[in-house]
Amino acid sequence: MQLLRFLAISLILSITLAAPARAVTLLRDPDIEHALRALGAPVLRAAGLNPDRVDIMVIDAPNMNAFVIDADSIFIHSGLLLRMDSPAMLQSVIAHEAAHIANGHLMRRPINARNARNAAALGTALAAVAGAATGSGGFAAGAAAGIQGAAMRSFFAHTRAEENAADSSGMRFLHAAGIDLNGAVQVMDLFRGQESLAASRQDAYARTHPLSRDRYRRVRALADAQSGTVAPDPEATYWFARAKSKLSAFQRSPKWTLTRAGEYGYEDIKLMRQAIAHHRNADLRRALKAIDGAVARRPDDPFLHELRGQILMESRQIKPAVAAYARATNLAPRNALILGSYGRALLADGQVQKAAQFLESARSRDGRDFRVLRDLAQAQARLGNNGMASVLTAERYAMAGRLKDAKIHAERASGLLPRGSAAWQRAQDVLHAAKAAE
């Protein structure tokens, strides 16, 4: 699991904001993202969307919200995920946001995703990533979304007509996927009464997704009309428990986690939570005992091996960490986050050439991971490939919104790389982005 906390940055828009934007950290973890993909897949298919093309990610924010900014990503606040009590509740949120995509609501935003993306090359407006490690036991920033005040509400807000349409479509998607519609009612229950509060006291979800008694009654009626009782899917139940358990283990205190480690009844999840809690308490012996117990129960689970690698890496046990990440990579050779972790461990172990290969593979699969760009630039510099190091650094700064710094490194890369090469063209993309922002 990639749980290093990074500093977040702001979403860059094609407009100038009078006040600085609020930065929001996106949590990147292969285990949690796999769980969300497994939970979202049947809903997305029912919506006519490709589950392999729509990412479902968690933003580190305690309030309850979920939103979409383009047709490729659904963002869920950690505060909302931690308030969910069942997979059906989480899947109903995914279904609702998928409906906004499927119904074309994004294209009617006052400030729409397409215009924001066209404001700068590299998609910096929608996939800004940046940060610097600040200790152990946190999450990793991969993409940020932060807009100030009225601009944020304008960008994310939906009309009541859109909300009604998304409710109806989302419920239809849930029914088609064989998911209990009562989960949507339970989510609505979380927000009942919000409309009577002052805007400053409302949850972000209520501000961007207008609520009303009529909406609640409509969703309740749709759920009541569902014939028969829908039995929970064991796989969905497991992955929901695992995602919520892992998230809470890193966000709650170790003491809280240890007292509740076994609440879901899965022994491997219990041991995983205990491993995280002991690791955060700097008790390597107990952490390894717990994670090894989880691995013994699911030996072919790449995410447990990845978590073992993280625990070892953050405990400065580099060579054992390399071995753990290698096992995870063998089990999930196409997972960009795992590949990035393996490359990072190899770099720390001095295996620079091999590290560069795995880091480049991670970058080619997911170019939004700030840490991969940083580590790959370091590897290329150590290999004497200064032009490649410069273009990677330029891209990293561009994604952070630091376009002046990006321009400096892009100009340097342009002078070092063969003119017309793919890397040289990437440097030109950064230069175009910097000029567009001037």
Side-chain angles (χ1 to χ4, degrees):
M1 181 173 183
Q2 331 280 3
L3 294 177
L4 295 172
R5 183 171 297 279
F6 282 68
L7 302 177
I9 50 101
S10 300
L11 178 67
I12 308 164
L13 293 180
S14 56
I15 59 174
T16 300
L17 302 177
R22 290 180 305 218
V24 183
T25 306
L26 180 68
L27 310 182
R28 301 300 308 274
D29 174 72
D31 196 351
I32 292 175
E33 290 185 14
H34 173 83
L36 293 178
R37 187 176 296 276
L39 289 163
V43 176
L44 294 173
R45 281 194 291 267
L49 303 174
N50 186 344
D52 294 328
R53 295 184 62 85
V54 180
D55 294 320
I56 305 172
M57 301 184 187
V58 181
I59 283 182
D60 186 14
N63 54 358
M64 298 187 291
N65 200 9
F67 57 88
V68 291
I69 57 176
D70 62 10
D72 301 321
S73 305
I74 295 173
F75 296 97
I76 299 173
H77 282 206
S78 59
L80 181 57
L81 176 54
L82 291 175
R83 289 289 300 274
M84 300 288 99
D85 294 324
S86 69
M89 290 180 71
L90 179 55
Q91 288 169 312
S92 75
V93 171
I94 295 171
H96 185 93
E97 298 306 322
H100 284 306
I101 298 174
N103 292 347
H105 295 161
L106 293 172
M107 301 309 297
R108 295 190 286 273
R109 298 275 181 85
I111 306 170
N112 63 64
R114 184 183 300 275
N115 287 341
R117 175 171 287 160
N118 289 341
L122 305 175
T124 56
L126 297 178
V129 290
T134 59
S136 63
F139 284 91
I147 311 174
Q148 182 73 20
M152 177 175 180
R153 289 190 292 275
S154 178
F155 185 73
F156 292 123
H158 299 282
T159 67
R160 289 184 183 274
E162 288 177 348
E163 286 305 288
N164 290 336
D167 286 339
S168 297
S169 296
M171 297 291 272
R172 187 172 70 252
F173 302 156
L174 291 171
H175 182 70
I179 296 168
D180 188 0
L181 271 63
N182 285 303
V185 178
Q186 292 166 345
V187 171
M188 294 286 282
D189 280 333
L190 291 177
F191 296 100
R192 292 186 73 182
Q194 287 282 312
E195 64 178 350
S196 64
L197 300 176
S200 61
R201 297 181 58 196
Q202 292 176 347
D203 269 298
Y205 192 87
R207 293 196 298 271
T208 57
H209 297 67
L211 299 168
S212 69
R213 292 181 179 87
D214 289 340
R215 275 191 66 200
Y216 179 84
R217 285 195 290 267
R218 187 179 299 107
V219 170
R220 174 81 268 178
L222 289 170
D224 289 343
Q226 179 179 264
S227 58
T229 302
V230 178
D233 176 13
E235 280 292 302
T237 301
Y238 173 81
W239 285 110
F240 170 78
R242 182 150 160 177
K244 184 177 178 180
S245 294
K246 196 170 193 182
L247 177 63
S248 66
F250 275 96
Q251 294 209 321
R252 307 289 192 189
S253 71
K255 181 179 179 181
W256 183 95
T257 299
L258 289 172
T259 60
R260 295 164 175 82
E263 64 184 321
Y264 290 106
Y266 299 99
E267 187 65 18
D268 60 308
I269 293 178
K270 173 184 175 181
L271 290 165
M272 177 192 70
R273 298 180 86 184
Q274 290 174 340
I276 294 168
H278 292 312
H279 171 55
R280 294 182 65 203
N281 280 332
D283 190 336
L284 179 59
R285 182 185 64 81
R286 288 185 177 180
L288 289 179
K289 181 179 179 181
I291 193 60
D292 286 345
V295 168
R297 285 161 177 77
R298 293 175 65 95
D300 294 330
D301 188 320
F303 309 113
L304 293 177
H305 290 281
E306 193 269 348
L307 176 58
R308 190 177 194 278
Q310 182 205 342
I311 290 171
L312 290 163
M313 188 77 173
E314 292 178 357
S315 301
R316 302 188 183 279
Q317 304 295 310
I318 304 301
K319 290 191 180 299
V322 168
Y325 283 130
R327 176 60 175 157
T329 300
N330 288 336
L331 291 167
R334 299 180 61 83
N335 188 292
L337 295 178
I338 289 178
L339 290 169
S341 290
Y342 185 35
R344 193 167 303 116
L346 289 167
L347 188 62
D349 194 41
Q351 301 183 54
V352 182
Q353 184 68 57
K354 189 174 181 180
Q357 294 173 0
F358 280 95
L359 289 166
E360 177 57 36
S361 181
R363 188 200 67 81
S364 67
R365 287 174 168 80
D366 185 351
R368 298 168 299 184
D369 194 333
F370 166 85
R371 297 156 306 161
V372 166
L373 295 177
R374 179 202 61 197
D375 296 335
L376 185 54
Q378 181 182 348
Q380 294 291 359
R382 289 168 64 176
L383 291 170
N385 302 324
N386 293 325
M388 284 300 304
S390 292
V391 74
L392 289 160
T393 303
E395 289 172 334
R396 176 165 60 91
Y397 280 134
M399 285 192 243
R402 296 172 56 179
L403 292 178
K404 289 184 178 180
D405 292 326
K407 182 179 179 181
I408 293 172
H409 287 276
E411 288 173 342
R412 182 179 301 161
S414 295
L416 293 171
L417 294 166
R419 186 176 183 85
S421 66
W424 181 87
Q425 187 57 58
R426 283 161 54 190
Q428 306 317 299
D429 289 341
V430 175
L431 289 174
H432 292 321
K435 290 177 181 178
E438 290 177 350

